[in-house]
């Protein structure tokens, strides 16, 4: 795993953990048992995977099309 991929994975895991920590954990804290902990762990894995995939697709698309160096961030398809 390259450092870029490891950094993306760490950012995704932190973001998913922050999201779950702020929203789901306070609600589920009173009923926290093994089943709820397993569900929260599954949600963490799913959110991390989805965020990582979104980051990977976005950054790889920018790298492949070389738009990062050109600063060519156009929201439309036409040339102006």
């Amino acid at each position: 795993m390259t450092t870029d991929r490891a950094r993306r994975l760490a950012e995704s895991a932190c973001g998913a953990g922050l999201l779950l920590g702020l929203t789901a954990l306070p609600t589920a804290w009173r009923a926290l048992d093994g089943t709820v902990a397993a569900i929260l762990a599954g949600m963490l894995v799913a959110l991390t995977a989805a965020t990582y995939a979104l980051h990977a697709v976005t950054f790889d698309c920018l790298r492949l099309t070389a738009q990062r160096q050109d600063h060519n961030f156009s929201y439309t398809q036409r040339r102006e």
Side-chain angles (χ1 to χ4, degrees):
M1 180 179 284
T2 63
T3 58
D4 187 40
R5 288 183 180 172
R7 183 183 55 81
R8 281 191 226 160
L9 184 61
E11 286 177 1
S12 300
C14 288
L18 185 63
L19 178 71
L20 284 176
L22 291 175
T23 58
L25 194 58
T27 305
W29 185 253
R30 293 178 191 234
L32 193 63
D33 62 349
T35 305
V36 175
I39 291 170
L40 288 175
M43 288 174 60
L44 178 69
V45 169
L47 286 171
T48 300
T51 307
Y52 177 80
L54 181 63
H55 283 192
V57 167
T58 303
F59 292 134
D60 289 344
C61 178
L62 289 176
R63 186 179 303 130
L64 290 174
T65 58
Q67 290 181 355
R68 188 174 189 174
Q69 290 88 8
D70 296 339
H71 301 290
N72 184 17
F73 295 107
S74 176
Y75 293 108
T76 61
Q77 295 293 328
R78 61 187 177 142
R79 299 253 182 215
E80 296 181 20

